[in-house]
Amino acid sequence: MWAASCLASCCAACACDACRTVVSSISRRSARIAYCALFALSLIVSWILREVAAPLMEKIPWINTFHETPSRDWFQTDAVLRVSLGNFLFFTILSVMMIGVKSQRDLRDNIHHGGWMVKVICWFLLVVLMFFIPNEIITFYESMSKFGSGLFLLVQVVLLLDFVHRWNETWVGYDEQFWYIALFVVSLFCYVATFVSSGFLFHWFTPSGHDCGLNTFFIVTTLIFAFVFTVVALHPSVSGSVLPASVISLYCMYLCYSGLASEPRDYECNGLYKHSKAVSTATLALGLLTTVLSVVYSAVRAGSSTTLLSPPSSPRAGEPLLPLENSGEREEKGKAKPVSYSYSFFHIIFCLASMYSAMLLTGWTSSVGEGERLGILSTIFDDVNGV
């Protein structure tokens, strides 16, 4: 028994040392990738709790405070929002802490790049703590998330434009006929996909026999924007390219589809309610994939002067991601080197992404339905009468 206990202790110590070594290696290589991994973990936790936590949350008295137990969907939405709020608070705290960090000699630079075991524990505790707060706070956060999600969509457009412009410049830089033809083919494909998608949207969300003028307005407006993007890109004073315009047009059509698909399933103009749940699952997966790619790309491009995350005076502006943030380089010769990007704004991106991912996982629906809202009002009314 004594030998077995010693062996187990040695194995545990080795495992802890291995974890610390791996985490330390990650922080030296790229803290930004580690933050992306933590964000991806939060999405996985949200998805799991969305599927399995409802029966457990029904038994928690400070969550299920209604006279009549809400539907399963309410608890699924509530679980996602609570994880999202914990994630949001974690990155908000980091963002506030990193305000004004301009030099790598700043002590907060070490907080940003190191201490990963402590940060993961704090993130976990924040997420758990969110399941002990009242429903009113979650409802308020849900309202905030709708506005934060809109801001993140704007960030996605900026990041997509940055990516497509670099893509266009790379292929044009080859100055060969093959790459010009490739640009034309990709642009043509995006435009064809945009107009074909609009046909599907008209078929799904403007069924005959129903007054669906609002859905028609959104689809037509998106097509008009696609036309305007092309005209602006081809205007001589802009000297733009068709590729960015075509890609943005296709992305706007996807956003239009995502918005229309989030309409209530029993809404007469939402033709998707006739289809299986696989349609909404595919939409959810595509939306989450887009979110993760946007967040990862913001991290990868954080060291470039062409992004919002990096000041033009950055000594590493335009350099790739992976060679950055080596602790040996930061301490070389003891010089106070300026940071290569804004740590505070970097964490704000994750705050907005946390809100947007929560809206995607909940289908942009309210956690308080009509029945639950009446239950809350009834509870408040009873409390007032008691007083």
Side-chain angles (χ1 to χ4, degrees), residues 195-349:
F195 288 105
V196 170
S197 299
S198 67
F200 281 107
L201 295 188
F202 277 115
H203 174 70
W204 286 335
F205 300 104
T206 60
S208 59
H210 299 287
D211 183 14
C212 303
L214 186 61
N215 288 0
T216 302
F217 169 78
F218 286 132
I219 300 172
V220 172
T221 302
T222 305
L223 288 173
I224 293 175
F225 279 144
F227 176 76
V228 172
F229 294 155
T230 305
V231 172
V232 172
L234 295 178
H235 196 276
S237 62
V238 176
S239 301
S241 174
V242 177
L243 179 62
S246 64
V247 173
I248 293 297
S249 299
L250 181 58
Y251 179 70
C252 289
M253 190 59 67
Y254 160 72
L255 291 181
C256 182
Y257 163 75
S258 179
L260 295 177
S262 65
E263 293 176 333
R265 303 296 291 177
D266 56 351
Y267 181 44
E268 60 184 9
C269 293
N270 186 356
L272 288 181
Y273 76 93
K274 299 178 182 179
H275 298 266
S276 63
K277 189 177 180 180
V279 175
S280 59
T281 302
T283 304
L284 173 61
L286 181 59
L288 289 178
L289 178 61
T290 305
T291 303
V292 172
L293 290 178
S294 299
V295 172
V296 172
Y297 186 71
S298 69
V300 171
R301 294 287 290 144
S304 171
S305 60
T306 61
T307 66
L308 296 174
L309 296 175
S310 176
S313 60
S314 168
R316 290 168 176 169
E319 293 184 7
L321 168 70
L322 292 180
L324 302 183
E325 301 171 4
N326 187 294
S327 58
E329 293 180 1
R330 293 201 307 269
E331 299 172 358
E332 182 182 3
K333 298 180 181 180
K335 294 182 179 179
K337 297 182 180 179
V339 298
S340 59
Y341 60 97
S342 171
Y343 297 163
S344 181
F345 189 80
F346 174 75
H347 291 296
I348 290 177
I349 297 296

Side-chain angles (χ1 to χ4, degrees), residues 2-189:
W2 180 82
S5 300
C6 291
L7 180 60
S9 300
C10 291
C11 291
C14 291
C16 292
D17 290 338
C19 291
R20 283 195 295 267
T21 302
V22 171
V23 171
S24 176
S25 177
I26 292 175
S27 65
R28 286 195 302 268
R29 261 304 184 194
S30 177
R32 291 171 285 179
I33 295 300
Y35 283 116
C36 291
L38 184 60
F39 176 75
L41 176 62
S42 71
L43 295 183
I44 295 174
V45 172
S46 298
W47 198 315
I48 293 175
L49 293 181
R50 175 175 173 263
E51 300 300 326
V52 304
L56 299 176
M57 295 178 64
E58 291 179 3
K59 302 177 182 179
I60 301 178
W62 58 85
I63 293 180
N64 188 4
T65 59
F66 310 106
H67 293 295
E68 295 183 4
T69 300
S71 63
R72 178 184 176 87
D73 292 339
W74 186 92
F75 290 104
Q76 290 178 333
T77 301
D78 193 69
V80 171
L81 290 172
R82 289 176 185 271
V83 175
S84 174
L85 178 56
N87 210 40
F88 171 81
L89 291 177
F90 174 78
F91 286 109
T92 298
I93 293 172
L94 286 176
S95 178
V96 173
M97 289 177 60
M98 297 300 151
I99 293 177
V101 178
K102 298 179 180 180
S103 169
Q104 295 180 12
R105 296 288 297 275
D106 195 311
L107 292 178
R108 291 174 294 174
D109 182 81
N110 295 328
I111 297 177
H112 177 75
H113 293 94
W116 281 101
M117 294 299 294
V118 175
K119 282 190 279 193
V120 171
I121 293 174
C122 291
W123 171 83
F124 176 78
L125 292 177
L126 277 174
V127 171
V128 172
L129 181 63
M130 294 305 101
F131 286 85
F132 292 89
I133 63 177
N135 293 330
E136 290 76 12
I137 297 179
I138 302 302
T139 303
F140 176 74
Y141 172 71
E142 180 186 21
S143 302
M144 287 180 51
S145 295
K146 289 179 169 56
F147 294 99
S149 299
L151 293 177
F152 184 73
L153 288 176
L154 294 178
V155 172
Q156 278 190 329
V157 172
V158 173
L159 294 174
L160 183 61
L161 276 174
D162 179 71
F163 170 75
V164 177
H165 274 295
R166 287 176 59 85
W167 178 9
N168 183 79
E169 290 174 0
T170 300
W171 283 13
V172 171
Y174 294 139
D175 196 18
E176 296 179 3
Q177 184 179 7
F178 171 81
W179 296 108
Y180 289 120
I181 295 176
L183 284 174
F184 173 76
V185 171
V186 173
S187 302
L188 180 62
F189 171 80

